[in-house]
Amino acid sequence: MKKFLLVFICTVFCVITINAQEEQTTTNDNTVKGQFETLIRKSTNYRQGGKRYEVVRLLELEAFQRNILDTIRVANTNIGELQATISENETALNSLNTRLDDTSKKLIELTAEKDSMSFFGAMVSKGTYKLIVWCIIFGLLIFLVLFIYKFKNSNTLTQQAKLALSDVEGEFEDHRRRALEREQKISRKLQDEINKNKKST
């Protein structure tokens, strides 16, 4: 009898452990499909009159119903947000269509005025416009040539000044060297005189 009781307790413990593991694995999937599959898996069945019936616990069915209603509520909220976005996009599209119509009208007006051009707010003919543009280009070219000439002239003067400076620096270096040599000669003579005076006394 004790062996039978021990085997029974072990069997019950194994069944409880397996059920607990199945519940942990099945509760991880929180999608509607996963919850529905869990509900089917946990249901029991029986046959009566040659037909198969599934028996589901009422608490699990109510929890599934709450989850479905929550999912529907979230979906309805998303649908409302999407509809608001769609209406905003439709408003923006209507605004863009209006702007496109205005742009098309302006394009037609510009095409009609293609024989004349706006120059500083005044409408002038194409020939006059080309003449003004070419005058500006020639004026800029003349200015560029004058700038290059002045630059080269200044560069030449700078080079001459550098050469003159290097000549002056060379002369100054020669003068400094000669003055140093003279100073050394005078120092030697002075030292010689001092030495002579010391010997004579």
Side-chain angles (χ1 to χ4, degrees):
M1 184 71 178
K2 287 183 179 181
K3 288 183 180 179
F4 176 74
L5 185 63
L6 184 63
V7 170
F8 178 73
I9 290 172
C10 287
T11 306
V12 169
F13 180 72
C14 289
V15 168
I16 290 172
T17 305
I18 291 170
N19 285 339
Q21 287 177 351
E22 284 181 2
E23 286 180 6
Q24 285 179 352
T25 56
T26 55
T27 54
N28 289 340
D29 191 3
N30 289 329
T31 62
V32 174
K33 182 180 176 182
Q35 292 174 8
F36 191 66
E37 289 174 355
T38 302
L39 190 64
I40 292 173
R41 196 178 307 115
K42 287 184 175 182
S43 66
T44 58
N45 55 48
Y46 70 94
R47 292 185 178 274
Q48 183 176 4
K51 293 182 179 178
R52 182 178 172 183
Y53 293 93
E54 294 289 330
V55 178
V56 179
R57 289 181 58 199
L58 186 60
L59 291 175
E60 291 175 359
L61 189 61
E62 288 173 350
F64 183 65
Q65 181 186 18
R66 281 193 303 272
N67 290 339
I68 292 292
L69 292 175
D70 288 341
T71 304
I72 290 171
R73 191 178 312 114
V74 170
N76 286 336
T77 305
N78 290 339
I79 288 170
E81 291 174 357
L82 290 174
Q83 285 176 343
T85 305
I86 289 170
S87 62
E88 287 175 6
N89 289 340
E90 286 177 352
T91 305
L93 184 62
N94 291 335
S95 173
L96 288 174
N97 284 334
T98 304
R99 288 174 62 186
L100 180 63
D101 291 340
D102 292 341
T103 305
S104 298
K105 289 176 184 176
K106 288 178 182 176
L107 181 62
I108 291 169
E109 291 174 3
L110 289 173
T111 304
E113 296 173 357
K114 68 179 179 178
D115 290 334
S116 60
M117 301 183 86
S118 177
F119 186 73
F120 292 116
M123 298 300 290
V124 294
S125 66
K126 282 188 175 181
T128 308
Y129 178 79
K130 287 181 182 178
L131 179 65
I132 292 170
V133 169
W134 280 110
C135 287
I136 291 171
I137 290 171
F138 282 131
L140 289 173
L141 284 174
I142 290 170
F143 177 75
L144 181 64
V145 168
L146 285 174
F147 177 76
I148 291 171
Y149 171 74
K150 289 281 188 183
F151 178 76
K152 283 190 175 180
N153 195 13
S154 298
N155 195 23
T156 304
L157 291 175
T158 304
Q159 293 298 328
Q160 290 174 355
K162 283 183 180 178
L163 286 173
L165 179 64
S166 91
D167 290 343
V168 169
E169 284 178 349
E171 289 176 7
F172 176 74
E173 190 64 34
D174 289 342
H175 174 71
R176 191 175 67 79
R177 186 175 42 78
R178 284 196 299 268
L180 187 63
E181 288 174 357
R182 265 184 279 150
E183 186 180 333
Q184 287 175 351
K185 284 180 184 178
I186 291 171
S187 295
R188 273 193 234 116
K189 283 182 183 179
L190 181 63
Q191 188 66 36
D192 290 344
E193 290 297 325
I194 291 172
N195 290 340
K196 282 181 187 178
N197 285 337
K198 282 184 181 178
K199 286 181 183 177
S200 63
T201 58

